[in-house]
């Protein structure tokens, strides 16, 4: 198990912070990143939480959000977000899901912008 250098981990978390940034427009609406909108165009599958259970939930996803509405409202992590972040960072950081999850499931470095896995 190779541990990536600190500078790689810090750059990864900076990229994750950018990819999960939401900006308030002049009309008061909060919007996500271009990357999130583009990813959603080709990734419409339900998250694992919405597709499980006795009565599967409607996995409602807004065009600029990668987490579904039920996960956001219950403030739980959404595996759609994890899949998006892996897809958006794998070329520059961790080429396989195992290496990605090893860093993603660890704590982000204190220097990086506050990031919460269950935040919008």
């Amino acid at each position: 198990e190779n541990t990536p250098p600190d500078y790689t981990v810090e750059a990864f978390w900076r990229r994750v912070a950018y990819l999960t940034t939401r900006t308030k427009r002049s009309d008061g609406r909060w919007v996500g990143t271009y990357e999130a909108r583009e990813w959603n165009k080709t990734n419409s599958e339900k998250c694992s939480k919405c597709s499980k259970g006795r009565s599967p939930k409607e996995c409602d996803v807004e065009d600029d959000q990668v987490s579904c509405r039920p996960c956001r409202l219950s403030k739980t992590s959404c595996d759609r977000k994890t899949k998006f972040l892996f897809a958006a960072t794998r070329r520059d950081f961790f080429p396989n899901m195992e290496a990605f999850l090893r860093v993603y499931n660890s704590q982000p470095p204190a220097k990086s912008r506050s990031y919460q896995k269950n935040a919008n």
Side-chain angles (χ1 to χ4, degrees):
E1 174 178 324
N2 293 339
T3 303
D6 288 345
Y7 63 86
T8 299
V9 173
E10 289 173 15
F12 167 77
W13 283 111
R14 279 193 303 275
R15 180 77 175 146
V16 166
Y18 161 74
L19 290 166
T20 57
T21 297
R22 302 200 23 89
T23 307
K24 192 171 186 176
R25 295 188 332 189
S26 60
D27 64 2
R29 183 172 181 262
W30 287 90
V31 295
T33 61
Y34 168 80
E35 290 85 350
R37 288 189 299 277
E38 289 300 305
W39 187 79
N40 274 334
K41 288 179 182 177
T42 57
N43 294 277
S44 59
E45 74 280 349
K46 290 183 175 187
C47 77
S48 62
K49 291 177 183 154
C50 288
S51 59
K52 290 180 182 172
R54 284 183 276 171
S55 58
K57 299 175 189 170
E58 182 65 35
C59 196
D60 184 28
V61 179
E62 296 166 28
D63 67 343
D64 65 339
Q65 292 270 358
V66 291
S67 296
C68 69
R69 181 171 284 144
C71 285
R72 287 196 328 271
L73 293 175
S74 65
K75 297 187 179 192
T76 59
S77 63
C78 183
D79 64 348
R80 285 181 46 81
K81 185 176 202 173
T82 306
K83 290 174 185 175
F84 162 68
L85 291 172
F86 172 66
T89 61
R90 74 175 167 217
R91 197 172 306 133
D92 297 325
F93 295 101
F94 308 109
N96 62 60
M97 184 61 92
E98 183 181 333
F100 168 83
L101 288 175
R102 208 172 18 256
V103 174
Y104 183 71
N105 289 330
S106 68
Q107 293 295 323
K111 293 178 189 174
S112 71
R113 187 195 93 177
S114 176
Y115 171 75
Q116 298 173 342
K117 290 183 182 92
N118 61 350
N120 296 337

